[in-house]
């Protein structure tokens, strides 16, 4: 089996200052976006009231927008090992993330029906992330933590959020909180790796 060391994929050895800034900005966007999504996901575990959503929703919207900014760099870095399954599932992640990033601010500041777009978009995202994470593990791409986080987002995050809010907080709410935590953390891992590669390429 071929092992893909992602630090060596993508020709990082000699980058121009413009290239370096692109990778660095994408890494920072991934880290900040991932942290915001993780933070909002954790906050949702506490079963937020309507007043608290006034603060949480915009932070979540910014988080998904920043992750969307990191998508092109993620694709450029990962594409060398892509097979058919990886291409399909990455397309699902990308499309779902874009729909999520666009629908959430519309739902916050416009018609509430747009929230359905957020739910559907995020569902497509985490289903795609599960398949992409499995494909990444099968290709033995490093770091594996990123792959496991993508895989865990739906089958671990969803029941975790449901069980915690139901049996600990006493109110079933926001089942996507768990998937948000795992999915966001995966982007933090990617961003940190990206920053390290950018520094090493200088």
């Amino acid at each position: 089996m071929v092992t893909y060391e992602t630090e060596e994929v993508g020709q990082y050895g000699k980058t121009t200052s413009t290239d370096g800034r692109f990778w660095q900005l994408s890494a920072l966007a991934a880290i900040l976006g991932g942290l915001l999504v993780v933070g909002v996901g954790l906050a949702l575990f506490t079963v937020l009231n309507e007043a608290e959503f006034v603060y949480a929703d915009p932070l979540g919207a910014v988080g998904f927008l920043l992750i969307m900014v990191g998508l092109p760099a993620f694709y450029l870095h990962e594409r060398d090992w892509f097979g058919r399954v990886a291409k399909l599932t990455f397309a699902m992640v990308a499309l779902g993330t874009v729909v999520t990033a666009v629908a959430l601010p519309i739902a916050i500041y416009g018609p509430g029906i747009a929230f359905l777009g957020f739910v559907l978009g995020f569902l497509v995202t985490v289903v795609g992330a599960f398949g992409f994470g499995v494909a990444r593990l099968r290709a033995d791409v490093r770091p594996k933590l990123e792959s496991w986080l993508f895989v865990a987002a739906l089958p671990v995050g969803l029941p975790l959020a449901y069980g915690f809010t139901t049996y600990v907080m006493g109110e079933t709410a926001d089942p996507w909180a768990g998937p948000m935590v795992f999915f966001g953390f995966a982007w933090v891992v990617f961003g940190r790796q990206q920053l390290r590669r950018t520094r090493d390429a200088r």
Side-chain angles (χ1 to χ4, degrees):
M1 178 180 291
V2 177
T3 299
Y4 288 87
E5 294 289 346
T6 57
E7 289 79 5
E8 298 174 3
V9 176
Q11 304 299 323
Y12 289 97
K14 296 180 180 179
T15 60
T16 65
S17 59
T18 302
D19 291 335
R21 282 194 292 271
F22 166 74
W23 294 113
Q24 191 171 42
L25 287 173
S26 70
L28 291 173
I31 291 172
L32 182 55
L35 286 174
L36 286 173
V37 170
V38 169
V40 171
L42 290 174
L44 292 176
F45 271 84
T46 66
V47 187
L48 301 180
N49 59 41
E50 187 173 345
E52 291 167 330
F53 270 112
V54 172
Y55 301 100
D57 282 345
L59 291 176
V62 172
F64 281 108
L65 285 169
L66 287 171
I67 289 175
M68 186 176 71
V69 171
L71 278 169
F74 186 83
Y75 171 76
L76 290 172
H77 175 255
E78 298 271 327
R79 62 180 176 177
D80 288 359
W81 63 267
F82 278 12
R84 283 178 294 181
V85 173
K87 288 178 182 177
L88 174 61
T89 52
F90 178 79
M92 291 177 64
V93 172
L95 176 62
T97 300
V98 170
V99 171
T100 301
V102 172
L104 187 52
I106 294 176
I108 295 170
Y109 301 109
I113 190 65
F115 192 72
L116 180 60
F118 161 77
V119 174
L120 293 176
F122 190 57
L123 179 61
V124 170
T125 300
V126 292
V127 170
F130 176 83
F132 184 76
V134 170
R136 206 170 182 271
L137 287 169
R138 287 175 62 88
D140 204 20
V141 182
R142 308 296 175 88
K144 289 191 174 183
L145 175 59
E146 194 174 334
S147 303
W148 283 114
L149 288 167
F150 279 134
V151 170
L154 185 61
V156 177
L158 194 64
L160 177 64
Y162 179 83
F164 185 87
T165 57
T166 301
Y167 300 108
V168 177
M169 301 304 296
E171 181 181 349
T172 302
D174 307 311
W176 48 84
M180 285 176 68
V181 171
F182 287 98
F183 183 72
F185 191 32
W187 281 94
V188 174
V189 173
F190 167 69
R192 290 187 63 186
Q193 292 292 323
Q194 189 84 323
L195 278 181
R196 189 175 72 178
R197 287 190 295 269
T198 303
R199 287 195 298 265
D200 292 345
R202 290 177 178 174

